């Protein structure tokens, strides 16, 4: 029986942890937004179909998918970790503590 040196053992390391999760061009939280849009479109189609008929239900589903897709597209352009950006000039004056 040959004894192996512990320092020569190699373990596979997953190096993809620093990249955001991506599925079909959607990144991170926008995957959930797309799933919500699809679910809302199906629910909207069903409600529109039962209430108004096929064509108005289809139109409602189209509007929901269009609005959700546009919102996802515009938000994803800003980036995955988009933060509020204040516009203007800010002056931070140093306060003096007089004792």
């Amino acid at each position: 029986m040959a004894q192996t040196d512990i320092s020569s053992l190699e373990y596979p390391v997953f190096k993809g942890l620093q990249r955001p999760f991506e599925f079909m061009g959607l990144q991170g939280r926008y995957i959930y937004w797309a799933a919500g849009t699809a679910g809302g479109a199906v629910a909207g189609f069903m409600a529109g179909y039962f209430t108004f008929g096929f064509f108005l239900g289809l139109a409602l589903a189209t509007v929901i998918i269009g609005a959700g897709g546009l919102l996802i597209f515009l938000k994803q352009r800003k980036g995955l970790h988009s933060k509020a950006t204040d516009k203007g000039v800010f002056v931070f004056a140093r306060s003096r503590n007089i004792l």
Side-chain angles (χ1 to χ4, degrees):
M1 239 191 204
Q3 189 175 15
T4 59
D5 186 17
I6 294 177
S7 63
S8 67
L9 293 177
E10 293 183 21
Y11 297 98
V13 177
F14 179 67
K15 298 193 182 225
L17 295 175
Q18 299 300 317
R19 289 183 277 158
F21 182 62
E22 186 173 345
F23 178 71
M24 295 179 65
L26 298 172
Q27 294 180 346
R29 64 181 167 188
Y30 302 112
I31 295 171
Y32 297 114
W33 288 22
T37 299
V42 169
F45 172 75
M46 288 173 46
Y49 178 70
F50 292 142
T51 307
F52 303 112
F54 177 76
F55 290 110
L56 289 176
L58 189 61
L60 184 61
T62 304
V63 167
I64 292 172
I65 287 176
L70 181 65
L71 181 68
I72 291 169
F73 175 74
L74 292 176
K75 291 286 191 175
Q76 192 168 357
R77 278 181 76 191
K78 288 185 175 182
L80 187 59
H81 304 290
S82 60
K83 297 180 182 176
T85 56
D86 295 323
K87 296 178 180 171
V89 177
F90 298 98
V91 177
F92 294 100
R94 185 175 174 198
S95 64
R96 298 181 192 194
N97 293 331
I98 300 175
L99 295 176

